[in-house]
Amino acid sequence: FFRDEIPYIRASLATLLALIRDSPHAILVQLPQGPLLLETLLLKTLRKYKVVADVHSGFLVTMDWKGRLLNTPFVRFLQMADLILVHNDLVLNLIPMNLRAKTLVVLDPWYLICNEEHKTGQGDYIVFPASFAPDEPLEDVINSINSFNIDIRIYVTGNWRRQPRIVKYASNRVIFTGYLKDDDYYKLLLNAKAIVTGTKREYTSLMSAWEAIAYAKPLALTKTKTLENLFKDYAIFYDWRDSRSIVNAVKTVLSSKPNLRAREKLKIKALNGIDMLKNKLEV
């Protein structure tokens, strides 16, 4: 990953040098951003590698001017990729029909997150892993927990400076941790009683949900078609616009145990997806 800003000239040059130096058999291009896809496809004619387009919803569903500039013009180049990856069935429906034959649905390899199967701790708090993006129902969850006076601490991880006004909710029960190193973050998850997370946006899956499954934690999620399709057998769902729905979901996960049978089914599905990807790359 080469950090850069628009128009990504330094990142483009760094990518070029890396491809010349490493001579890879295949390149997995995580999308967005669109210019990276175009660059790897142009260089493909010289370096003779396979291009795998790892398509996330933000590449196909643009919400602002930046997305329309950096993603929309480049969607047409998916036809030149050797293989396309998506991470849920609803995003698959956004892929043009003529490209679906070379598109695989591959779940995130969440089983790599936790080293020990079903390793868990027993804490007295819940965690909301936050990115402080506009589509997160963080404020709705905090307000609901406070309004109904649920006797539980909630740790909100992530860089709250992206949304500074949110810290007005800080209290003995609502703790903003700021950015945590991986070890500290996973230790917090390990000892949590449950994970609450979500998005108001369709087509979006959540790494925080996979982390909850990796650590075998009860999970409360917003009720979107995408999340229900992925996690219907594991998670408890809530309507982010309804405080009582949020509270009921939080109370349910606090009194629940993780569905280990559903967890195992998700692991098998994830492993099968990775096997299909490996087979395609070996052809």
Side-chain angles (χ1 to χ4, degrees), residues 129-234:
S131 65
F132 299 94
D135 65 298
E136 281 182 339
L138 174 58
E139 198 164 356
D140 306 284
V141 169
I142 292 174
N143 278 327
S144 298
I145 289 175
N146 286 338
S147 296
F148 285 80
N149 199 30
I150 299 178
D151 187 20
I152 190 71
R153 285 181 296 153
I154 177 170
Y155 284 86
V156 181
T157 65
N159 183 9
W160 55 264
R161 290 177 178 81
R162 293 177 178 172
Q163 196 182 126
R165 69 177 188 82
I166 199 73
V167 295
K168 69 182 181 182
Y169 294 106
S171 67
N172 291 334
R173 291 197 308 183
V174 181
I175 300 102
F176 293 90
T177 67
Y179 175 78
L180 296 174
K181 294 181 179 179
D182 285 350
D183 287 347
D184 294 330
Y185 174 65
Y186 289 129
K187 187 180 295 183
L188 189 70
L189 294 185
L190 173 66
N191 292 297
K193 199 168 184 66
I195 308 298
V196 180
T197 186
T199 175
K200 303 173 185 178
R201 192 164 57 203
E202 201 57 85
Y203 302 110
T204 300
S205 56
L206 297 167
M207 180 51 67
S208 53
W210 291 121
E211 289 167 341
I213 293 170
Y215 281 94
K217 297 296 178 180
L219 172 64
L221 284 173
T222 42
K223 190 174 183 178
T224 68
K225 291 180 181 178
T226 305
L227 295 180
E228 282 190 297
N229 178 266
L230 282 169
F231 304 109
K232 59 181 178 293
D233 295 327
Y234 189 90

Side-chain angles (χ1 to χ4, degrees), residues 19 23-24 33 82-84 86 107 124 129 156-157 174 185 194-195 210 220 252 259:
L19 293 178
S23 297
Q33 306 289 344
D82 296 282
L83 190 64
I84 300 170
V86 296
L107 300 186
D124 59 351
V156 181
T157 65
V174 181
Y185 174 65
I195 308 298
W210 291 121
T252 299
N259 187 334

Side-chain angles (χ1 to χ4, degrees), residues 61-90:
V61 183
T62 54
M63 306 295 291
D64 54 24
W65 68 267
K66 189 176 181 181
R68 286 189 285 272
L69 175 66
L70 296 176
N71 298 320
T72 303
F74 298 92
V75 172
R76 73 185 76 174
F77 296 111
L78 286 175
Q79 62 187 320
M80 298 170 61
D82 296 282
L83 190 64
I84 300 170
L85 303 185
V86 296
H87 300 286
N88 62 71
D89 291 330
L90 270 73

Side-chain angles (χ1 to χ4, degrees), residues 3 14 18 22 38 57 97 110 148 156 164-165 205 212:
R3 190 175 298 279
D22 297 335
L38 178 59
S57 59
M97 286 294 297
W110 57 267
F148 285 80
V156 181
R165 69 177 188 82
S205 56

